[in-house]
Amino acid sequence: MNFFSDDHAAELRELFFESATELLQTLNEEGLELEKRPEDQEVLRQVRRTVHTLKGDSAACGYTELSELAHALEDVLRPDIAAVSKAALAEVVLIAADTFSSMLSAYRGSLQPPAGEELKEQIVSLTKKPANTVRYKLQARFVWSEYEQMVVADALGRGETVYNVAFSIEPQCPMRGAAMQLIRNVLQDCGKLLAVAPDQSTLSNDLDVVEAAIASDNSEEWIAKKCRIPSVVAEVLVQKAGQAQEPADDVLDIVRHVTTPQEDGTETVIRAEETLVESAAREVATPRAENANSQIANDTQPASFASMSETLLRVDAEKIDSVLNLVGELIIAKSMLHQAINEFEKRHPKDPLKMRFSDAMAFQARIMNDLQKSVMKIRMVPVEHLFRRFPRVVRDVAKSCGKEVNLVVTGQDTDLDKSILDMLAEPLAHLVRNAVDHGIESPAERINDGKPAQGTVTLDAYHQGNEIVIEVTDDGRGIDREKLIAKAVERGLIKHGDAVVLGEIETNNLIFHPGLSTAQEVTSISGRGVGMDVVKTVLEKLKGTVSIRTTAGKGTTFFLKVPLTLAIIKALLFRVGDRLYAVPLASVVEITRTTQGALHRVDQHEVMQLRNEVLALLHLHRLEKEQAETGKMFVVVISTGERKFGLVVDHLVGEEELVIKAMDDHLVATDLVSGASILGDGTVVLILNLSSVVAKLGKLQMVGATA
């Protein structure tokens, strides 16, 4: 029977996928923490709660395979198994995270989910271990109901001696109900039975502790000896109760022997109390049965979607993009209105409406800027959402390579556009894997070089002007320049003669060529040369740059610079011939003028002297196949990566806030243009892709010089 309409069921499933993705990320983090602290009971409880929530949510959506597998995993998330298995339990948790992720992907695509055989085998291997005796502390609480407290208080008031007695049941005891009756009989032989828990109505097959209060004239030693029932009771603890004693705070530790499941398949059910604080916080007057029922309800009820914070609102990214697109259209309309007002002022300079138009325009511009910033903030998310996945990546790669690597993450609060963040996931994963596989040395090699055996990979993010900079740093061996050049010559990427004159930047950038790898052998992690070119390609799509700084023997740092957003940018407009172009204002260093006589040619490149440095020039008129004008010319100094270039243009138009419109491939069959925009008067402006322009014009000028 389906209790939801198709639309509501689809919404429920989509909400489940979103929350499940977050739960799996949390499970990965908790698994890594459990690996560091395998005996920490609080970490184990956190893992169990996460798995329990995932089990309940998946069952609510009808994904029984995932729910049953999560239920099986819950069975091994116990203190006794954690004490025996150590790091093996953390490994099972991480395998479970991967398995659940594969199942979610299958559910999303309406495919048959994987069976999770590896996870099932790991769970069986933990539960089928030989018998092992482990001593650990079980919390015993003498928390009586209101009526039981009155009975105990009356006995104390009459001057009788009252004892609190706790029994731990033998794990091998096959009949727990019979054990309870035997314990009652022994207690009545010891004195007058005042209270006992659990009562007959709440007996269960996993009974492991019995608590009682008796009034007796016998000594503690006599009662303890009398209460030891062979093959039924493992340990007995007897404590005298006092009048001033608070039952809820009377917490006793009982040492219990726990035997894990036997090889012959017979299982002993062991249940450890998980929340001492929760129990101690209960009111003394609350009946025990009511407490037990509420505790069972809290532990077994699946986590509800409605329990999520009401201050958060999940909105589809396409809806935000639609709002942002409308804001962009409003910005174009603002530009059109601004031009109309300027035209009105020219035609009617003394008209009194001129000031009213100007005031209205200023007010609209202020509201428009605030609206734009608000919408942009909605799209911004902390880079922490991206960084959270890399501790697991570093751990898995380091383990497969036999290395010890620590990941240090800073700058998690830096905000970045969600669309850019999603596109950066793949290139950052390549850089982090390469840092561990190529950069960090083996422990023996590091020790020989005077370094600590454990290497360090650092992820950092920070603002720099209108850009975000993400650094990936390792303290490994650095990039071997000679080996990199030799590989490039071997692959025919450069000639042997050209390799001699390559600078440091050009040499480092060779690593981004497709198919180039300095790995000694091809592994499942790297060695095919298909990773670093992906990094550069994605950064170019994002209108960003990637640069390298490396020192032999000390390490390497990759700098990824991307704009805060891809939707709206401030740009510098200029003309070359009859065409109007724009470049991001963040890439413009300065604007200068020069003459044809001040230009020189060095190594087949046209250059000019700009104060104390030599600036390579790129003539944009070459793209138009026109002749350069004589006399004075404008030079726009731009920065791409670690280098500066000068763009020679005909006329400067000015600064403008542009709404970027993506270009279809059949409209613009070139990578020199990254997008277009529309000005207020309807003029179309092309936004240049600076990295492609620099590469293209550099080749054209070299060809022209040799010809």
Side-chain angles (χ1 to χ4, degrees):
M1 178 181 290
N2 189 5
F3 295 96
F4 303 102
S5 65
D6 291 341
D7 291 341
H8 288 169
E11 291 178 5
L12 179 64
R13 283 193 295 270
E14 192 58 36
L15 184 58
F16 163 72
F17 287 133
E18 293 178 6
S19 62
T21 302
E22 296 175 2
L23 287 172
L24 289 184
Q25 180 59 49
T26 302
L27 188 62
N28 269 308
E29 295 170 358
E30 291 169 347
L32 295 175
E33 193 63 28
L34 186 64
E35 191 174 47
K36 297 176 183 176
R37 297 182 291 163
E39 297 183 0
D40 192 318
Q41 300 302 310
E42 180 58 33
V43 176
L44 186 64
R45 281 193 290 270
Q46 290 174 359
V47 175
R48 188 181 179 92
R49 282 194 291 268
T50 301
V51 175
H52 187 79
T53 303
L54 186 63
K55 178 186 76 172
D57 290 353
S58 56
C61 292
Y63 299 131
T64 55
E65 298 91 349
L66 177 55
S67 178
E68 292 172 357
L69 202 53
H71 180 72
L73 178 62
E74 267 190 303
D75 291 340
V76 299
L77 297 174
R78 306 198 311 248
D80 55 303
I81 291 182
V84 175
S85 62
K86 303 295 182 183
L89 185 58
E91 183 70 29
V92 172
V93 171
L94 295 176
I95 293 174
D98 294 338
T99 304
F100 294 157
S101 179
S102 300
M103 297 179 81
L104 284 178
S105 298
Y107 287 138
R108 276 185 181 273
S110 300
L111 303 174
Q112 180 64 30
E117 293 298 334
E118 181 184 5
L119 177 59
K120 293 177 181 177
E121 292 174 2
Q122 293 289 339
I123 292 175
V124 170
S125 68
L126 289 181
T127 56
K128 293 296 183 182
K129 286 187 175 181
N132 188 14
T133 300
V134 183
R135 297 179 66 86
Y136 75 100
K137 291 185 178 180
L138 174 70
Q139 308 298 341
R141 306 176 307 277
F142 297 108
V143 183
W144 310 121
S145 68
E146 186 176 5
Y147 172 76
E148 291 167 340
Q149 289 182 64
M150 291 175 57
V151 173
V152 171
D154 288 344
L156 290 172
R158 292 192 299 267
E160 298 182 26
T161 304
V162 178
Y163 295 99
N164 286 325
V165 185
F167 302 82
S168 64
I169 308 300
E170 283 284 359
Q172 294 87 358
C173 182
M175 300 177 63
R176 301 301 172 102
M180 184 67 185
Q181 188 57 48
L182 289 173
I183 290 174
R184 278 177 167 271
N185 295 339
V186 170
L187 288 172
Q188 290 171 352
D189 292 341
C190 293
K192 183 170 61 176
L193 183 60
L194 305 177
V196 64
D199 57 27
Q200 294 293 339
S201 62
T202 59
L203 280 179
S204 63
N205 291 330
D206 60 350
L207 174 69
D208 53 6
V209 172
V210 176
E211 301 169 9
I214 61 172
S216 176
D217 296 330
N218 298 303
S219 65
E220 294 182 18
E221 292 78 10
W222 187 90
I223 294 174
K225 185 176 181 180
K226 181 73 174 177
C227 289
R228 293 185 184 276
I229 306 174
S231 301
V232 174
V233 176
E235 295 288 339
V236 177
L237 185 140
V238 181
Q239 185 177 20
K240 186 179 291 187
Q243 271 185 319
Q245 192 174 23
E246 289 290 340
D249 296 331
D250 183 39
V251 181
L252 306 178
D253 289 335
I254 298 178
V255 179
R256 184 184 66 170
H257 290 282
V258 178
T259 305
T260 56
Q262 305 298 312
E263 289 181 326
D264 59 4
T266 60
E267 293 187 1
T268 301
V269 181
I270 303 167
R271 178 172 53 85
E273 294 296 333
E274 293 186 358
T275 49
L276 173 61
V277 177
E278 215 175 72
S279 303
R282 296 173 184 162
E283 294 184 4
V284 175
T286 305
R288 174 182 297 274
E290 182 179 333
N291 288 342
N293 291 336
S294 64
Q295 175 65 20
I296 293 172
N298 290 336
D299 189 50
T300 58
Q301 182 180 3
S304 172
F305 293 123
S307 65
M308 296 181 181
S309 176
E310 296 180 358
T311 60
L312 298 178
L313 179 65
R314 296 182 183 272
V315 180
D316 192 277
E318 292 183 359
K319 295 180 180 179
I320 300 178
D321 291 339
S322 178
V323 174
L324 186 61
N325 187 57
L326 292 175
V327 171
E329 297 297 332
L330 286 176
I331 292 175
I332 295 175
K334 180 186 74 172
S335 179
M336 295 171 62
L337 184 59
H338 184 68
Q339 287 194 355
I341 291 176
N342 289 340
E343 188 68 25
F344 178 84
E345 290 179 353
K346 290 178 182 179
R347 294 187 181 185
H348 309 283
K350 297 182 180 181
D351 195 304
L353 287 176
K354 182 181 70 170
M355 291 303 299
R356 295 177 61 181
F357 282 147
S358 298
D359 293 342
M361 183 64 197
F363 177 74
Q364 186 205 39
R366 185 170 67 252
I367 297 299
M368 195 68 61
N369 289 336
D370 293 342
L371 178 62
Q372 176 189 336
K373 291 178 182 177
S374 298
V375 176
M376 294 307 301
K377 284 181 180 179
I378 296 176
R379 289 177 57 92
M380 295 293 181
V381 294
V383 76
E384 177 189 10
H385 290 266
L386 179 59
F387 284 178
R388 285 178 65 187
R389 67 187 67 181
F390 293 119
R392 175 71 190 278
V393 173
V394 170
R395 179 255 184 198
D396 291 345
V397 176
K399 188 174 181 180
S400 64
C401 297
K403 299 177 181 178
E404 300 176 14
V405 184
N406 178 41
L407 178 65
V408 178
V409 179
T410 56
Q412 302 99 311
D413 297 333
T414 305
D415 289 337
L416 189 59
D417 191 295
K418 178 67 166 60
S419 60
I420 298 179
L421 198 71
D422 292 339
M423 291 185 69
L424 282 176
E426 185 180 7
L428 265 182
H430 282 302
L431 291 177
V432 171
R433 283 197 295 264
N434 274 315
V436 178
D437 189 29
H438 290 307
I440 302 297
E441 312 94 328
S442 65
E445 185 179 348
R446 291 180 64 86
I447 292 174
N448 290 336
D449 293 339
K451 297 181 179 181
Q454 186 182 58
T456 302
V457 174
T458 305
L459 281 175
D460 187 18
Y462 54 88
H463 290 276
Q464 190 178 82
N466 291 325
E467 293 182 315
I468 293 290
V469 181
I470 298 178
E471 296 183 6
V472 182
T473 305
D474 66 75
D475 64 347
R477 59 173 64 92
I479 297 177
D480 190 327
R481 184 176 184 272
E482 300 300 327
K483 183 184 294 185
L484 187 60
I485 292 176
K487 281 284 185 179
V489 172
E490 178 185 333
R491 294 293 179 89
L493 300 176
I494 58 174
K495 296 180 180 179
H496 192 278
D498 297 334
V500 181
V501 297
L502 281 180
E504 182 180 353
I505 296 176
E506 290 84 357
T507 302
N508 292 338
N509 287 339
L510 288 174
I511 203 169
F512 296 113
H513 279 280
L516 182 63
S517 175
T518 57
Q520 297 293 336
E521 57 182 5
V522 175
T523 66
S524 60
I525 302 169
S526 61
R528 295 175 176 84
V530 294
M532 302 307 291
D533 63 313
V534 172
V535 175
K536 187 175 182 181
T537 301
V538 172
L539 265 293
E540 288 177 352
K541 288 182 180 178
L542 292 173
K543 304 174 186 65
T545 59
V546 56
S547 57
I548 307 172
R549 184 176 64 206
T550 182
T551 303
K554 294 186 178 180
T556 304
T557 300
F558 286 85
F559 298 89
L560 279 65
K561 294 184 180 180
V562 293
L564 284 173
T565 177
L566 296 179
I568 301 172
I569 63 168
K570 289 185 178 180
L572 176 67
L573 277 62
F574 51 83
R575 288 189 179 275
V576 178
D578 295 330
R579 293 186 183 274
L580 186 63
Y581 294 103
V583 293
L585 197 59
S587 301
V588 178
V589 179
E590 61 178 300
I591 300 171
T592 185
R593 297 192 72 174
T594 186
T595 61
Q596 191 69 36
L599 304 184
H600 307 279
R601 185 166 293 279
V602 177
D603 290 336
Q604 302 177 355
H605 286 282
E606 202 165 35
V607 299
M608 64 172 284
Q609 182 78 21
L610 181 63
R611 291 185 292 278
N612 295 326
E613 60 180 331
V614 176
L615 185 69
L617 298 180
L618 302 173
H619 288 269
L620 287 178
H621 72 272
R622 294 181 184 271
L623 296 177
E624 302 289 333
K625 301 186 184 301
E626 298 176 4
Q627 295 297 320
E629 295 183 0
T630 58
K632 289 190 175 182
M633 59 188 74
F634 290 99
V635 177
V636 180
V637 182
I638 61 170
S639 174
T640 59
E642 301 294 326
R643 303 183 64 181
K644 290 182 181 180
F645 295 91
L647 293 180
V648 180
V649 303
D650 295 342
H651 304 287
L652 295 176
V653 177
E655 297 178 13
E656 190 78 34
E657 196 170 43
L658 300 180
V659 179
I660 300 178
K661 301 291 185 180
M663 305 290 288
D664 291 336
D665 290 339
H666 18 306
L667 291 179
V668 179
T670 177
D671 59 350
L672 301 178
V673 176
S674 60
S677 186
I678 304 173
L679 301 183
D681 59 357
T683 304
V684 176
V685 54
L686 298 178
I687 303 169
L688 295 178
N689 184 351
L690 289 177
S691 58
S692 298
V693 168
V694 169
K696 178 78 172 178
L697 290 179
K699 292 179 181 178
L700 287 178
Q701 292 187 179
M702 291 183 69
V703 171
T706 54

